[in-house]
Amino acid sequence: ADLARDPQFQMRFRREAQLLARLDHPAVVRIHEAVTEGPAPYLVQDLLPGGSLEARLAKGPLPCAEARAIAAALARGLEHAHARGVL
């Protein structure tokens, strides 16, 4: 809550969101807007179906093929972001 009132934090939050919003890749969630009004800043982003990885792992270990597919998708998303200057 303290950071939400800090103008420098708000500026950094909006700047980072604008940078991330330029990413367009199937492995990167699309960001549409950064909102800094109210008690806590938040991002408006696409809603992805299918649940979280945490929920999937609660059902048990991933089969090797599924784990490899997830890791490969993450790597492609990171590669896309890094190629556009996002660390």
Side-chain angles (χ1 to χ4, degrees):
D2 291 338
L3 284 175
R5 292 186 294 273
D6 180 346
Q8 186 174 5
F9 171 80
Q10 291 178 4
M11 181 185 69
R12 274 187 46 212
F13 184 79
R14 282 192 299 271
R15 186 178 65 230
E16 289 179 21
Q18 289 169 348
L19 178 63
L20 294 172
R22 292 187 299 193
L23 300 178
D24 185 17
H25 190 275
V28 179
V29 177
R30 187 85 192 200
I31 294 181
H32 299 282
E33 185 178 3
V35 180
T36 56
E37 294 86 28
Y42 62 92
L43 299 173
V44 178
Q45 59 191 46
D46 285 343
L47 175 63
L48 301 179
S52 69
L53 180 58
E54 179 182 22
R56 170 57 190 87
L57 291 173
K59 297 176 185 176
L62 296 173
C64 287
E66 188 176 353
R68 278 192 303 270
I70 291 170
L74 289 170
R76 287 189 298 273
L78 284 171
E79 178 182 44
H80 176 80
H82 287 183
R84 282 145 189 84
V86 178
L87 300 176

